[in-house]
Amino acid sequence: MSQINPINTVEDRPAITLLSDDDNTGSLEVASQWRLIWIKFRQNKVALFAGVVVLLFYVVAVFAEFLAPTLPSKSQPRLTYAPPQSIGFFVENEAGERAIQLHVNGYGMTVDPESLRRSFTVDKEVIIPVGFFVKGEPYELWGLIPMERHLIGPLNPKDSMNLLGTDKLGRDVLSRMIYGARVSMSIGLIGVFSSLLIGTVLGALSGYFGGWVDLAVQRLIEVISAMPTIPLWLGFAAAIPLTWSPLQVYFIITLIVSLLAWTGLAREVRGRFLSLRHEDFVTAAKLDGCTTKRVIFRHILPSLTSHILAVVTLAIPTMIVAETALSFLGIGLKAPVVSWGVLLQDAQNIRTISSAPWLLVWPAGAVVVVVLAFNFLGDGLRDAADPYEH
Amino acid sequence: MITESCTESRTSNKKSLALSVEKLSVDFHLRTHILHAVRDVSFSLYRGQTLALVGESGSGKSVTTRSIMRLLDSQARQTSGRITLHSENSDVVLTDLDPKSEAIRKIRGRRIALIFQEPMSSLSPVHTIGSQIAEAIRLHHGGTKKTAMESTTKLLEQVEIKNPAEMARRYTYEFSGGMRQRAMIAMALACNPDVLIADEPTTALDVTTQAEIMDLLKRLQESRGMALLLITHDLGLVAEVADEVAVMRFGRLVEGGAVDDIFHAPKTAYAQSLLASTMRLERPAEARASRQLDDDSPMLSVSGLGKSFGIVNWRGKELHSTKAVEGASFDLYPGENLGIVGESGSGKTTLGRMILRIIEPTAGQVMYRDAQGQMADVTRMNRKALTRFHRDVRLIFQDPFASLNPRMTIKQIVGEPLVVNNGMKGAELDARVAELLELVGMERSAMERYPHAFSGGQRQRFSIARALALNPRVIIADEATSALDVSIRAQILDLLIDLQKRLGLSFLFIAHDISVVRYFCDRVLVMHHGRIVEQGDAEMICTAPQDPYTQSLISAVPNPDPRHKRMINRTRFISS
Amino acid sequence: MLGYIIQRVFLMVPTMLGISIISFIIIQLPPGDYLTSVLAAMADSDVTFTADQIARMRENYGLDEPMYMQYIQWIWGIVSRGDFGYSFEWNRPVSELIWERMGATLSISFLSLLFVWAVSLPIGIYSAVRRHSIGDHIATLFGFLGLAIPNFILALTLMYVSFRYFGQSVGGLYSPEFVEQAMSWPKFVDLLKHVWVPVVVIGTAGTAALIRILRANLTDELNKPYVLTARAKGLPEHTVILRYPVRIALNPFVSAIGWVLPQLISGITITAIVLNLPTAGPLLLRALVAQDMYLAGSFILLMGVLTLVGMLLSDILLALLDPRIRFH
């Protein structure tokens, strides 16, 4: 045995050099589950940002009527497949002075002498002044409050502003996108909610009755998850009678989408529930004299909720994509309902896409951004869902 | 054949240096802070000698061994120090070698070998045992697959694995815990290393298996003249096998020297206290002696209790069944501490849980005499009666991290039985919870905090407070102290004894650790393969057991006194 | 091992039954039955039937029997005679229409699976071993994008990009001049020129998912003690990683067949519609829109069965790869 360090001071903790100043261990001691989750989630900047993006999309969906420059159904027969205009900030008057004036440029039309097809180009000479909170097409906010102010629009209601271009009927793509956000984003929420409902009810049934009920539910989950989803969606969606109203179709599509998506949720929840059931603290609660109800609601469910939240967040984008795909194929939502999938229907053949790429780019971009945001958000939530693992 | 190239320097004098560590410091760069895991640690290893590196969890023992092998993970930085591997011809400074270099790879496995704590996870689950050993042989000595397999078989034979050629073709999960550790040793010895590092090699094993493995290690060490660095937290094991001891705490080496000096003349306060808390558990608690047991009729009477887990075929017909517990009969008297001792798989935990009917027994009965003197059979109780029974008989769990709901405050956890059973709330609840916390030596301010704010020992106190909330009569403590460090363990046991005196409790104390039972219990049951093989006075069973299994069990327990080795000279039990 | 396979096959039966029931429900879902469709078509061509004739036809087709009998007859037809029913739109038995299309579906799915494996294995290993390196961040970003972009949008985008910038149409499996020709070397080359688009489109999501799974699993495995054991033996780092943790992290790769395959078949359905490939997808959509239900139901049934067989194969492979599963 060689040298021994002469230690006279009594140490009672491991030696540590702190790297960050905020030593908030004191406040952590009284931090509840949700605060700990928030603290952990907050560190994931990407997920935080994704959360903000998702929130923004929902804000757009909620205030669609006000945010859209015009009505989604308003067609301009003289402006079909018009390209996007960009917003300019300065105009030059006759004297050549520059002044601040929000504006877009008007369109000039050329006719192809051979095919006689009209095509529009942005004409730099024509200035269409644009302003905020302008009067435009009258609408009812949430179908209740009659209004006619729009967040942004041409100062003269007769002028046309199409920031993202127009479609084959000359309808404003931006307005349609904004209205589409309402349908597409809400289908995700309602779909996930009904999935959760189906999953919870069936999960509870199989858990409560056990035995063959449990077996049947498990088999059902197995069967549904073994089926390729898109053919099944197609199968169910194609059976929707053509005579149904758009609202009925909307709900039935949501139901179809959630009918097939609940299995993943149910499996996740069931798995966690079963593993929690054998945790020591649950046994302790039983021995404390808790009724089954109290054990489930007070001791097991609080441990589950954060995980459920994460799983649900990750399931929403699947629903959105499903609706988009079905509507794109023409067996989901149909006009006059506007969703991103319905918008993409216009972008089905290569000729349209190549002459009016904005019909593909914007709706597809919106879908991708939303799906990406939900995935990042869900991932962040999942990582933060259990703040107690080492 | 294997050994020729590594055996150059076997003919050394008695104290020839094998490895020296000088002023080693290792930091861990974590997200919020730098942990100085090892600070200025120095020691030397000699051929044929065993150095035990002792310390509680987090003392930096394992990090030290990883540094020797240059196997630190990416967060760790060695900030200073020098580690030298000595041989007769030349010395190699390991700390000068790049962890990825070929030079260090030639030393790993060949001149320094490592054995880990958890043999299951330390061996690959998808390769056969033989192929994992043969791989090391071929890596350092070349040769064909066939010769390597022959050497492997020989090695397995040396570590006393029966039918070695056949077992070499088996997978890890087909081996028992002890056999896995033997295979691990065979792998480590494959190239006849100069230095063997054993990191808690027997912590995951039962005492009798531990004794066998340590026997084997000692024998192989002596025959090969290896230097052995034994990392452990068990002072008993140290006393049994070590020549020298180094005590670590919070990354520093606080005391070192010959084993006899450390045990009989420790210099530093820490070594003294560590030794004291170990030694204290080597005899009955003094506080217990003053108690008087007056009532002579049992309050809990278990007879013929059994549990069999049947394997049923698809028509519900039983194919065969395993009996976890069979025909357990015993009595628990008021104010008594009854210990249930056994190794893993002996059925002791199942027995404890059957009494509470967390696991439903398949045979036998449990008669309980309540405070009014009414007798009732627990196994036939309805839900309501069972809830009443659970108020009187409470359970304390082994794992203080799993048994407290992390999402509830201490007040909610400790108060839960009061809320559920007595509908207590508001100031009354606050007062009672505060009283309970005081009883277990915790402050009132703990109430609003969550379990994650507390250490294992503190959490176990809350567990006890919860158990006491309803003024119970019996407490079943299932390995209640085995997850704790030795110094904390003694504190918790003393708390339980103190509480018993004040509240007149009876304890059913389930443990695998004989010394804890001896310290705490009046009477002991010994379980083996689901049966109670012996029961009687605790002191008698611990000093003069009658049953052959108990004899082997007791004698396999390491004795923390290097002058009286017990484990090495133990009684062996040939299992039927 | 044989016992294990038999047990797996046995377990498949109820699932198979479930899938067939769902397919049959889809067949029955649209209002009216097969005969209504036939009669409507006949009426279009001015052929009318008396009520008596209709009743007889009903009996002939077995349509007056209870639902479960119709189901049993349908299944029995498939099992005993390979008779999937009759496509009223094409006026041909379903079985004549279905096999060629299913063959193309299967081939493209299989190619996509190979693509998924070939790409995700090296990237996944790299990502896990070099965590938080630039390459890992790029792979992660690619992974997220791959998961976020729906198949059909990716297909449309690829179509647009190749049309716009390469002046090439990527739809179909062959250029128009080859479609009617017999298989030849130039035709095969032409096939290769076309087939990569659907393979990439369909495979991207699965690749992204597998990279993430492999990265997560391998990261876990890399911290396991047996890796340290292997290092302590003195093995070189790449041997350590490839022989031990990668070997174990491969399990999800094999079991991936089970869940990647339904995804691929799903993906190919919609991608094929966009890219106009001669696979089951476009025919299925057409059948659904025309409510040609026996054809549609048969496609759905076969796609379900195909994934089940894939799962069975993955289970067997997994058992071969991992001795722990074999012995339980």
Side-chain angles (χ1 to χ4, degrees):
Chain A
M1 182 54 55
S2 35
Q3 315 90 325
I4 292 303
N5 296 302
I7 296 172
N8 304 317
T9 51
V10 178
E11 294 182 317
D12 60 349
R13 61 176 66 187
I16 278 171
T17 306
L18 283 173
L19 290 178
S20 55
D21 312 329
D22 62 323
D23 175 24
N24 52 2
T25 42
S27 67
L28 282 184
E29 290 181 350
V30 290
S32 71
Q33 150 168 244
W34 293 106
R35 223 181 101 67
L36 289 175
I37 289 176
W38 171 241
I39 289 170
K40 206 167 162 192
F41 178 77
R42 203 170 57 181
Q43 289 160 359
N44 187 342
K45 299 290 179 234
V46 180
L48 206 61
F49 179 72
V52 173
V53 170
V54 166
L55 213 63
L56 272 179
F57 268 92
Y58 275 112
V59 168
V60 168
V62 169
F63 298 103
E65 290 97 339
F66 171 68
L67 294 173
T70 181
L71 296 182
S73 53
K74 190 194 167 204
S75 61
Q76 308 163 90
R78 298 186 305 112
L79 272 180
T80 57
Y81 293 125
Q85 302 158 311
S86 52
I87 285 192
F89 295 95
F90 300 102
V91 287
E92 277 181 31
N93 57 15
E94 291 83 16
E97 288 164 348
R98 284 157 69 90
I100 296 179
Q101 168 64 61
L102 218 54
H103 70 280
V104 292
N105 295 112
Y107 292 105
M109 186 179 71
T110 52
V111 179
D112 185 351
E114 276 171 45
S115 66
L116 290 176
R117 275 183 55 176
R118 293 185 301 176
S119 60
F120 296 92
T121 47
V122 175
D123 183 356
K124 292 274 180 200
E125 296 301 308
V126 187
I127 303 279
I128 298 172
V130 167
F132 288 106
F133 305 106
V134 292
K135 272 193 183 165
E137 294 285 331
Y139 59 90
E140 280 161 353
L141 186 64
W142 305 322
L144 299 170
I145 311 160
M147 284 172 77
E148 50 179 19
R149 295 269 170 195
H150 294 261
L151 176 68
I152 190 171
L155 291 179
N156 179 356
K158 295 224 172 65
D159 282 337
S160 164
M161 181 189 80
N162 306 295
L163 295 177
L164 301 183
T166 65
D167 65 0
K168 61 174 185 259
L169 296 177
R171 292 174 296 198
D172 178 33
V173 171
L174 175 63
S175 302
R176 289 172 70 73
M177 288 270 302
I178 290 175
Y179 276 83
R182 176 173 285 178
V183 172
S184 292
M185 298 295 286
S186 67
I187 268 199
L189 270 194
I190 299 175
V192 132
F193 183 73
S194 38
S195 282
L196 203 59
L197 202 71
I198 300 171
T200 318
V201 168
L202 282 179
L205 280 180
S206 81
Y208 186 80
F209 290 106
W212 69 267
V213 179
D214 186 40
L215 207 69
V217 171
Q218 291 319 309
R219 287 283 115 168
L220 188 66
I221 289 180
E222 206 169 287
V223 169
I224 292 181
S225 40
M227 298 288 285
T229 43
I230 288 180
L232 258 190
W233 279 330
L234 294 180
F236 282 117
I240 301 171
L242 296 170
T243 50
W244 282 19
S245 75
L247 197 68
Q248 276 175 311
V249 173
Y250 172 84
F251 279 111
I252 200 76
I253 288 285
T254 317
L255 197 69
I256 290 171
V257 168
S258 52
L259 255 182
L260 302 176
W262 66 269
T263 53
L265 289 179
R267 198 184 286 187
E268 179 94 15
V269 172
R270 181 175 183 272
R272 292 219 173 257
F273 192 90
L274 287 184
S275 67
L276 275 172
R277 216 171 55 172
H278 296 291
E279 285 282 334
D280 275 354
F281 70 80
V282 174
T283 308
K286 281 182 201 156
L287 292 176
D288 282 347
C290 294
T291 56
T292 310
K293 202 175 109 197
R294 192 174 168 92
V295 169
I296 290 176
F297 285 95
R298 188 158 167 82
H299 295 267
I300 295 183
L301 272 189
S303 313
L304 271 179
T305 39
S306 59
H307 291 283
I308 293 178
L309 191 70
V311 177
V312 156
T313 311
L314 286 170
I316 291 178
T318 326
M319 311 260 171
I320 293 177
V321 169
E323 181 276 324
T324 313
L326 285 180
S327 305
F328 169 75
L329 292 176
I331 48 178
L333 301 175
K334 295 184 181 74
V337 176
V338 192
S339 78
W340 294 336
V342 173
L343 291 185
L344 279 171
Q345 238 176 355
D346 291 340
Q348 248 175 358
N349 64 64
I350 188 75
R351 194 177 295 150
T352 323
I353 299 177
S354 57
S355 61
W358 54 89
L359 291 182
L360 169 67
V361 172
W362 298 113
V367 172
V368 171
V369 167
V370 163
V371 170
L372 212 52
F374 269 115
N375 273 320
F376 278 121
L377 176 66
D379 257 27
L381 284 175
R382 189 175 50 196
D383 290 345
D386 192 353
Y388 302 105
E389 53 186 18
H390 12 267
Chain B
M1 222 185 320
I2 332 157
T3 50
E4 269 157 10
S5 53
C6 326
T7 38
E8 323 102 84
S9 56
R10 270 295 112 78
T11 50
S12 49
N13 55 340
K14 190 158 183 299
K15 260 222 170 190
S16 85
L17 198 58
L19 183 95
S20 58
V21 174
E22 294 153 86
K23 296 227 171 271
L24 179 74
S25 294
V26 180
D27 285 354
F28 273 78
H29 288 251
L30 305 172
R31 211 170 39 72
T32 53
H33 58 271
I34 299 172
L35 173 69
H36 307 291
V38 175
R39 292 178 287 165
D40 280 338
V41 167
S42 305
F43 58 81
S44 303
L45 281 175
Y46 297 94
R47 283 178 211 293
Q49 299 259 313
T50 302
L51 169 68
L53 206 53
V54 186
E56 295 182 291
S57 44
S59 59
K61 300 169 296 190
S62 290
V63 179
T64 309
T65 62
R66 304 282 195 280
S67 313
I68 295 173
M69 294 289 263
R70 312 287 291 145
L71 283 173
L72 290 169
D73 52 0
S74 58
Q75 292 169 326
R77 315 262 150 79
Q78 186 192 325
T79 52
S80 73
R82 203 175 133 96
I83 301 171
T84 319
L85 181 64
H86 302 273
S87 68
E88 281 176 357
N89 313 329
S90 63
D91 294 348
V92 187
V93 181
L94 299 179
T95 36
D96 288 349
L97 299 176
D98 180 357
K100 290 201 168 93
S101 66
E102 203 185 327
I104 187 73
R105 287 208 311 270
K106 285 214 160 130
I107 288 167
R108 287 180 197 155
R110 180 167 171 174
R111 299 194 53 198
I112 308 177
L114 203 51
I115 304 172
F116 296 106
Q117 170 175 356
E118 202 15 275
M120 180 70 198
S121 51
S122 303
L123 289 165
S124 161
V126 297
H127 296 85
T128 59
I129 295 283
S131 74
Q132 294 180 61
I133 301 173
E135 183 185 37
I137 297 171
R138 291 191 69 198
L139 182 70
H140 294 295
H141 299 296
T144 61
K145 271 192 181 164
K146 196 160 165 266
T147 55
M149 271 323 270
E150 280 165 12
S151 316
T152 302
T153 312
K154 246 179 244 160
L155 276 166
L156 287 177
E157 205 175 342
Q158 280 182 40
V159 295
E160 294 158 11
I161 286 181
K162 284 179 200 120
N163 204 358
E166 161 69 22
M167 296 311 275
R169 285 195 294 273
R170 298 275 181 93
Y171 291 94
T172 318
Y173 55 88
E174 295 176 86
F175 276 48
S176 70
M179 289 218 312
R180 280 179 206 139
Q181 201 56 294
R182 284 169 195 273
M184 194 74 205
I185 292 172
M187 192 194 298
L189 298 183
C191 296
N192 232 350
D194 303 335
V195 176
L196 179 64
I197 303 173
D199 189 349
E200 306 264 9
T202 54
T203 308
L205 306 174
D206 284 324
V207 274
T208 47
T209 321
Q210 160 173 295
E212 285 165 21
I213 294 290
M214 287 318 298
D215 263 6
L216 178 72
L217 266 181
K218 271 311 253 192
R219 237 174 313 131
L220 290 169
Q221 183 204 5
E222 271 159 28
S223 68
R224 296 174 179 227
M226 281 184 301
L228 175 64
L229 177 60
L230 176 71
I231 319 291
T232 184
H233 66 277
D234 185 346
L235 280 179
L237 203 59
V238 174
E240 296 274 357
V241 299
D243 300 303
E244 284 189 300
V245 186
V247 183
M248 283 187 77
R249 190 185 192 209
F250 299 131
R252 282 197 198 274
L253 206 61
V254 287
E255 185 165 352
V259 65
D260 200 72
D261 296 344
I262 296 280
F263 276 85
H264 290 281
K267 289 192 274 293
T268 57
Y270 178 65
Q272 283 162 6
S273 75
L274 199 62
L275 204 62
S277 39
T278 309
M279 293 311 291
R280 205 143 57 104
L281 296 183
E282 283 302 306
R283 55 181 176 272
E286 279 143 22
R288 222 154 38 77
S290 57
R291 273 181 315 123
Q292 290 242 318
L293 303 179
D294 36 35
D295 202 339
D296 56 354
S297 58
M299 61 194 306
L300 202 61
S301 180
V302 174
S303 57
L305 205 61
K307 174 77 187 174
S308 54
F309 294 99
I311 309 289
V312 218
N313 73 1
W314 58 283
R315 280 150 83 190
K317 213 166 122 187
E318 196 165 282
L319 296 176
H320 58 88
S321 65
T322 43
K323 293 194 167 71
V325 175
E326 203 182 351
S329 305
F330 63 88
D331 294 324
L332 176 70
Y333 293 92
E336 182 187 41
N337 293 350
L338 179 61
I340 302 180
V341 181
E343 296 182 301
S344 54
S346 63
K348 57 187 191 303
T349 294
T350 310
L351 179 58
R353 298 202 165 204
M354 276 198 293
I355 293 170
L356 287 165
R357 282 183 56 194
I358 300 170
I359 295 174
E360 290 291 338
T362 47
Q365 60 177 8
V366 178
M367 298 304 292
Y368 173 65
R369 187 164 55 89
D370 66 16
Q372 286 77 43
Q374 299 282 328
M375 294 288 275
D377 184 358
V378 178
T379 59
R380 293 182 185 188
M381 278 182 182
N382 59 18
R383 225 191 134 86
K384 220 172 133 196
L386 196 62
T387 309
R388 261 202 310 276
F389 173 69
H390 283 160
R391 274 187 233 170
D392 285 2
V393 183
R394 306 281 291 159
L395 181 68
I396 302 176
F397 295 83
Q398 169 176 5
D399 183 353
F401 288 83
S403 60
L404 304 183
N405 189 341
R407 286 159 185 84
M408 292 166 77
T409 60
I410 298 302
K411 183 178 133 190
Q412 287 169 324
I413 291 170
V414 175
E416 184 73 356
L418 298 168
V419 174
V420 175
N421 287 286
N422 305 347
M424 213 183 261
K425 54 177 182 259
E428 189 191 8
L429 182 66
D430 279 10
R432 176 67 179 143
V433 171
E435 186 188 346
L436 285 165
L437 290 182
E438 199 182 312
L439 208 56
V440 296
M442 295 302 292
E443 280 174 31
R444 193 193 169 97
S445 62
M447 279 211 279
E448 296 306 324
R449 298 191 206 167
Y450 287 84
H452 62 253
F454 299 95
S455 68
Q458 289 170 320
R459 282 162 174 248
Q460 207 57 311
R461 287 174 191 264
F462 297 128
S463 230
I464 295 167
R466 170 172 61 189
L468 295 176
L470 296 170
N471 299 319
R473 302 174 66 219
V474 180
I475 286 182
I476 300 179
D478 186 1
E479 298 274 14
T481 59
S482 49
L484 308 172
D485 272 334
V486 64
S487 52
I488 313 287
R489 189 178 300 169
Q491 289 171 15
I492 295 289
L493 288 173
D494 285 342
L495 171 69
L496 290 178
I497 291 170
D498 176 52
L499 288 171
Q500 175 169 46
K501 269 181 158 173
R502 287 160 69 178
L503 306 172
L505 297 163
S506 307
F507 276 95
L508 199 58
F509 197 86
I510 300 167
H512 71 279
D513 186 339
I514 312 283
S515 57
V516 167
V517 169
R518 184 177 182 185
Y519 183 72
F520 188 75
C521 296
D522 306 307
R523 280 195 311 133
V524 178
L525 312 175
V526 182
M527 288 191 76
H528 183 53
H529 289 332
R531 292 173 164 280
I532 296 174
V533 291
E534 187 168 0
Q535 54 178 308
D537 179 72
E539 201 48 33
M540 281 300 288
I541 291 214
C542 291
T543 51
Q546 299 301 307
D547 179 80
Y549 171 73
T550 317
Q551 285 167 354
S552 78
L553 182 72
I554 299 290
S555 67
V557 178
N559 190 16
D561 181 359
R563 292 177 191 171
H564 300 96
K565 298 190 179 182
R566 179 167 56 199
M567 182 187 90
I568 293 298
N569 315 309
R570 69 186 188 283
T571 324
R572 285 172 177 80
F573 172 68
I574 316 300
S575 179
S576 49
Chain C
M1 191 63 204
L2 192 68
Y4 177 80
I5 296 175
I6 292 171
Q7 184 201 347
R8 286 275 109 182
V9 173
F10 192 70
L11 279 175
M12 248 173 72
V13 172
T15 317
M16 196 92 92
L17 208 67
I19 289 177
S20 70
I21 290 174
I22 291 182
S23 308
F24 188 72
I25 289 174
I26 288 174
I27 293 179
Q28 296 294 337
L29 259 184
D33 55 34
Y34 175 55
L35 199 62
T36 340
S37 321
V38 175
L39 289 178
M42 293 292 189
D44 281 349
S45 46
D46 286 332
V47 186
T48 46
F49 296 96
T50 62
D52 202 34
Q53 278 173 308
I54 292 172
R56 199 150 10 132
M57 278 163 72
R58 227 166 241 292
E59 201 177 322
N60 276 349
Y61 284 112
L63 292 178
D64 54 346
E65 303 205 42
M67 203 59 99
Y68 68 90
M69 276 308 290
Q70 290 189 37
Y71 167 75
I72 290 171
Q73 277 165 2
W74 179 65
I75 281 292
W76 181 243
I78 293 173
V79 175
S80 63
R81 293 169 268 132
D83 174 12
F84 285 87
Y86 196 78
S87 162
F88 119 86
E89 205 205 351
W90 295 77
N91 245 331
R92 284 162 69 189
V94 167
S95 49
E96 280 180 23
L97 293 161
I98 218 164
W99 292 115
E100 192 189 328
R101 296 283 181 139
M102 284 308 290
T105 304
L106 191 62
S107 324
I108 294 183
S109 304
F110 186 66
L111 278 179
S112 307
L113 190 64
L114 291 184
F115 169 79
V116 167
W117 276 340
V119 177
S120 54
L121 184 65
I123 297 182
I125 294 175
Y126 176 85
S127 267
V129 176
R130 298 248 180 288
R131 259 164 86 87
H132 305 307
S133 67
I134 293 171
D136 174 35
H137 287 305
I138 293 172
T140 309
L141 189 72
F142 163 78
F144 267 110
L145 275 175
L147 281 178
I149 304 178
N151 277 322
F152 70 97
I153 289 183
L154 187 60
L156 283 174
T157 313
L158 270 184
M159 250 165 81
Y160 172 64
V161 168
S162 81
F163 184 84
R164 184 73 201 268
Y165 298 101
F166 305 107
Q168 187 195 2
S169 164
V170 292
L173 279 184
Y174 302 103
S175 304
E177 62 267 29
F178 286 108
V179 173
E180 297 299 322
Q181 279 185 27
M183 190 44 107
S184 61
W185 181 247
K187 185 173 179 179
F188 183 70
V189 172
D190 185 58
L191 174 68
L192 288 186
K193 274 189 198 157
H194 282 84
V195 83
W196 69 271
V197 179
V199 165
V200 168
V201 168
I202 298 160
T204 303
T207 309
L210 263 189
I211 289 177
R212 289 184 65 187
I213 291 175
L214 185 63
R215 181 178 183 269
N217 279 358
L218 197 53
T219 309
D220 279 356
E221 294 295 333
L222 282 173
N223 293 324
K224 294 268 174 76
Y226 69 81
V227 181
L228 206 58
T229 310
R231 287 205 184 108
K233 266 185 211 174
L235 288 169
E237 190 63 17
H238 63 271
T239 316
V240 169
I241 288 172
L242 288 182
R243 203 174 290 173
Y244 292 95
V246 168
R247 172 82 163 66
I248 292 164
L250 268 186
N251 286 5
F253 250 73
V254 175
S255 59
I257 307 177
W259 57 264
V260 168
L261 206 64
Q263 222 183 41
L264 292 179
I265 290 182
S266 260
I268 196 177
T269 308
I270 191 161
T271 309
I273 294 166
V274 176
L275 293 175
N276 193 24
L277 305 178
T279 60
L283 203 59
L284 170 66
L285 181 67
R286 202 168 142 184
L288 283 167
V289 172
Q291 304 213 327
D292 187 0
M293 293 323 284
Y294 276 101
L295 183 57
S298 306
F299 270 129
I300 291 174
L301 175 70
L302 281 183
M303 285 172 172
V305 170
L306 206 60
T307 51
L308 268 194
V309 172
M311 285 181 185
L312 177 71
L313 285 180
S314 87
D315 277 351
I316 293 171
L317 277 177
L318 201 59
L320 282 176
L321 192 67
D322 192 337
R324 285 172 294 183
I325 296 168
R326 223 168 15 210
F327 286 93
H328 270 87

